[in-house]
Amino acid sequence: MIYADNAATTKLCRQSYEAMELYLRDQYANASQPYSFARSTKKALNKAREIIASCINALPEEIYFTSGGTESDNQVIKSTLFFNKNKNEIITSSIEHHAILNSCETVSFLGIPVEYLPVDREGVVQPFDLEKKISTKTGLVSIMYGNNEIGTIEPIKELASIAHNAGALFHTDAVQGVGHVPINVHALGVDLLSSSSHKFNGPKGIGFLYMKKGVKIHPYMNGGAQEKGMRAGTENVAAIVGMATALKMNVERLAEERKHLTILEDTLIRSLQEFGLDFIRNGSSNHLPGNVNLSFCGADGEMLLHRLDLKGIFISTGSACDSVDTQVSHVIRAIHVPKEYAEGTIRISFGANNTKEDAVKIAKEIKNILG
């Protein structure tokens, strides 16, 4: 088996699993309870918050636990309903994850104005486009850190500065970036940031929202006083501990991992070229490590996915969250991939467990399929 869909989800690391086990079996107390049995879980919760904050140069009190990036994105976008009614316009990009796009569609039905920025052929949001669209009515700008389909990393620092100059908050969906590239929330200048544990070898169903101290948004879930009243519900301490463990491990080996993934990317591309295949590599040279989006001339991306599946190779035709849709993805349309290539688009996303042999094998099997 060759698993090469790490942008969709990653394998749970052993250290994360082992860290979780204690809080699944023995230390199972509700962290909100005042008795002594809950002290261990409460301490673990606080420690995890500190670890995660240190990984992105934030303060522990700026980290709020959620069920993942989708929930965090929904909370940020839908909180615009409670902003100043004279300053509640949202600006986002045309290539965002559907957690953002669908949330924006929902609030637009309720009367919140939403503007969508175009991208260039590499998938980059140009700062001058934001400058043209932003106004005194803009309350929130949300641009993803790195695109999940083509890997392009956006100029977040510059975009955040433009938003702040107009008096707007800036949010970034950094689900694909956290744990894979250095993230410093203060250097970037972001007010809000979303992340998901399962993208960096942690458990599924847990994530966090970074919210800069002093920023106020509306709670997404009401009930108890957990997460300082911002996210009601008993905390999943085991998953939170697992997430912190995995993130710390990934951050400690960022440079080593980037070098490894770059070798795999280069090996795959060189092998495909040597086989004489006609393809386009989509995205920018400044991209998420290991993310390789390819469009093959005259091919069918869905057919490639299923044929590779039969050979025990697992890749994606684009965003995993949109994999049931056989149409050309909104991202590929937005970057204007020629029609004869667009329908033959696949995404290969390497991870820590992949090898050079995997990259060569994938290229050989694509060659065999396409003839």
Side-chain angles (χ1 to χ4, degrees):
M1 174 180 116
I2 297 176
Y3 180 78
D5 197 20
N6 288 275
T9 197
T10 54
K11 182 179 181 179
L12 181 70
C13 68
R14 176 180 55 81
Q15 293 85 348
S16 178
Y17 174 80
E18 291 175 351
M20 293 169 65
E21 197 170 10
L22 173 65
Y23 300 96
L24 287 169
R25 295 194 311 178
D26 302 323
Q27 298 295 333
Y28 53 83
N30 187 325
S32 298
Q33 292 302 98
Y35 42 68
S36 58
F37 182 45
R39 287 176 191 161
S40 175
T41 51
K42 192 176 300 183
K43 184 177 179 180
L45 198 64
N46 292 335
K47 182 62 176 176
R49 206 183 304 274
E50 291 173 4
I51 290 170
I52 291 167
S54 70
C55 288
I56 62 170
N57 194 31
L59 299 172
E61 59 266 32
E62 295 175 319
I63 303 299
Y64 295 84
F65 298 124
T66 70
S67 65
T70 292
E71 181 186 321
S72 298
D73 288 348
N74 271 259
Q75 180 174 4
V76 171
I77 297 299
K78 292 171 182 177
S79 284
T80 56
L81 294 168
F82 305 96
F83 289 167
N84 182 339
K85 290 186 178 179
N86 296 318
K87 196 175 179 62
N88 63 359
E89 177 186 86
I90 300 172
I91 298 179
T92 189
S93 84
S94 58
I95 63 166
E96 298 295 310
H97 189 278
H98 281 100
I100 293 290
L101 295 179
N102 290 352
S103 293
C104 284
E105 185 178 0
T106 295
V107 297
S108 69
F109 287 142
L110 300 173
I112 301 296
V114 182
E115 294 280 354
Y116 298 90
L117 300 176
V119 294
D120 65 17
R121 289 184 177 273
E122 293 186 343
V124 179
V125 176
Q126 295 297 329
F128 61 78
D129 283 323
L130 177 57
E131 288 178 329
K132 285 190 295 185
K133 287 282 188 183
I134 204 163
S135 73
T136 56
K137 294 181 179 180
T138 306
L140 175 71
V141 178
S142 180
I143 306 294
M144 66 196 334
Y145 183 90
N147 185 265
N148 50 305
E149 292 194 38
I150 59 176
T152 296
I153 293 176
E154 303 295 347
I156 296 300
K157 184 176 181 179
E158 193 171 352
L159 295 169
S161 178
I162 294 168
H164 292 154
N165 288 340
L169 293 175
F170 189 90
H171 165 255
T172 186
D173 175 341
V175 165
Q176 294 290 334
V178 172
H180 300 288
V181 294
I183 300 286
N184 182 324
V185 290
H186 291 299
L188 290 172
V190 300
D191 301 297
L192 300 142
L193 176 147
S194 303
S195 182
S196 279
S197 165
H198 73 103
K199 302 294 187 179
F200 49 79
N201 306 102
K204 295 177 178 64
I206 193 70
F208 67 87
L209 173 65
Y210 158 77
M211 183 162 58
K212 186 178 179 180
K213 196 172 182 179
V215 170
K216 304 291 184 184
I217 65 172
H218 199 271
Y220 188 59
M221 294 177 67
N222 301 113
Q226 293 89 351
E227 300 304 296
K228 293 189 288 185
M230 291 300 298
R231 206 273 187 178
T234 301
E235 297 96 342
N236 186 345
V237 177
I240 289 168
V241 168
M243 171 170 63
T245 302
L247 181 56
K248 185 174 185 290
M249 285 191 58
N250 275 30
V251 167
E252 288 173 347
R253 63 186 187 197
L254 282 178
E256 175 188 349
E257 197 56 37
R258 187 179 195 102
K259 182 179 179 181
H260 171 66
L261 295 176
T262 299
I263 291 171
L264 300 188
E265 290 180 34
D266 292 345
T267 300
L268 174 69
I269 297 300
R270 186 171 60 251
S271 298
L272 291 169
Q273 290 170 338
E274 289 173 353
F275 290 139
L277 294 172
D278 185 358
F279 67 93
I280 298 170
R281 180 171 183 178
N282 302 309
S284 169
S285 57
N286 181 24
H287 65 273
L288 299 166
N291 187 308
V292 185
N293 188 287
L294 305 170
S295 295
F296 292 89
C297 186
D300 182 308
E302 188 178 17
M303 176 274 292
L304 273 171
L305 180 148
H306 291 301
R307 292 285 297 276
L308 288 171
D309 184 10
L310 292 172
K311 298 174 183 293
I313 298 171
F314 309 113
I315 54 96
S316 173
T317 53
S319 170
C321 300
D322 196 29
S323 59
V324 296
D325 186 355
T326 58
Q327 302 300 312
V328 173
S329 84
H330 67 291
V331 176
I332 297 303
R333 291 197 305 271
I335 63 174
H336 304 292
V337 175
K339 183 174 176 17
E340 62 271 25
Y341 289 88
E343 294 180 2
T345 300
I346 61 172
R347 180 190 67 189
I348 298 164
S349 47
F350 293 115
N353 295 320
N354 290 118
T355 64
K356 286 179 67 176
E357 289 72 24
D358 289 345
V360 172
K361 175 70 172 176
I362 292 170
K364 284 181 178 177
E365 294 300 347
I366 291 175
K367 166 63 177 173
N368 292 338
I369 291 167
L370 297 180

